[in-house]
Amino acid sequence: MSGKHYKGPEVSCCIKYFIFGFNVIFWFLGIAFLGIGLWAWNEKGVLSNISSITDLGGFDPVWLFLVVGGVMFILGFAGCIGALRENTFLLKFFSVFLGIIFFLELTAGVLAFVFKDWIKDQLYFFINNNIRAYRDDIDLQNLIDFTQEYIPMQVGRGAACHSPAVLKTPRRMSSTLSVATMPGRNQRSTSRS
């Protein structure tokens, strides 16, 4: 049978199975991300009423799991099967897709540096819209709580913090600091302590 077969040098067995093993892990992680995303949507009742996808008030973190999981699944599959079967089409698809992702990340980094003021404004607008929808979506609420709890806010070490509550809070706070010290509230009640 004289078909169009690849007549190049044979790939090393170690490299072949290393790429295969790496992509199997990547493939399974993609499946896990997709599973978590679909499970979260099922828990919120989105899968039983598909039209509710567009009714979400803010950013739904489940979209992040679904998109990242889908891309990881497709890339993992192409790399895994392409490496195992030495399929040049799947390996080229895998390489081109990784190149496109790298180029997009590089472009996003350069554009973020060039348009950093516009990005700050958009990020501020995005965060405010999601804070308004805080009670509407439990996933968004958990994401905002996680961000506030585990990402330390660098205040006083050269980082800019534009929150009025932080800017007007005294340097030495007592353990009895209450909501009354927030700007716009009755501040006479804390002046006695």
Side-chain angles (χ1 to χ4, degrees), residues 11-166:
V11 179
S12 168
C13 188
C14 291
I15 293 174
K16 177 180 173 179
Y17 287 110
F18 175 74
I19 293 174
F20 172 75
F22 175 75
N23 282 300
V24 164
I25 293 169
F26 204 63
W27 190 17
F28 285 146
L29 284 174
I31 291 172
F33 271 59
L34 282 172
I36 289 170
L38 291 174
W39 172 79
W41 267 3
N42 185 39
E43 287 294 313
K44 292 193 316 186
V46 173
L47 293 180
S48 61
N49 184 12
I50 298 295
S51 65
S52 66
I53 291 174
T54 59
D55 295 339
L56 298 173
F59 173 72
D60 191 4
V62 175
W63 278 107
L64 189 64
F65 278 96
L66 292 174
V67 170
V68 169
V71 169
M72 287 176 67
F73 176 79
I74 292 169
L75 274 179
F77 176 79
C80 183
I81 302 301
L84 185 64
R85 304 289 299 173
E86 295 181 19
N87 187 326
T88 56
F89 174 75
L90 287 176
L91 289 174
K92 286 178 185 176
F93 172 78
F94 177 74
S95 299
V96 167
F97 209 91
L98 279 180
I100 289 171
I101 290 174
F102 176 73
F103 178 73
L104 290 175
E105 287 178 350
L106 186 64
T107 304
V110 169
L111 289 175
F113 179 74
V114 171
F115 298 109
K116 57 184 163 190
D117 293 332
W118 181 81
I119 294 212
K120 281 182 186 177
D121 293 340
Q122 293 300 317
L123 188 61
Y124 181 77
F125 180 72
F126 174 76
I127 289 173
N128 280 337
N129 281 344
N130 283 312
I131 288 175
R132 283 189 201 108
Y134 180 75
R135 296 284 180 204
D136 298 338
D137 185 7
I138 190 69
D139 291 333
L140 182 63
Q141 184 177 353
N142 290 334
L143 179 68
I144 291 172
D145 291 345
F146 173 82
T147 304
Q148 289 177 343
E149 184 175 342
Y150 291 106
I151 297 178
M153 193 166 150
Q154 300 291 328
V155 179
R157 294 221 168 193
C161 180
H162 303 290
S163 171
V166 173

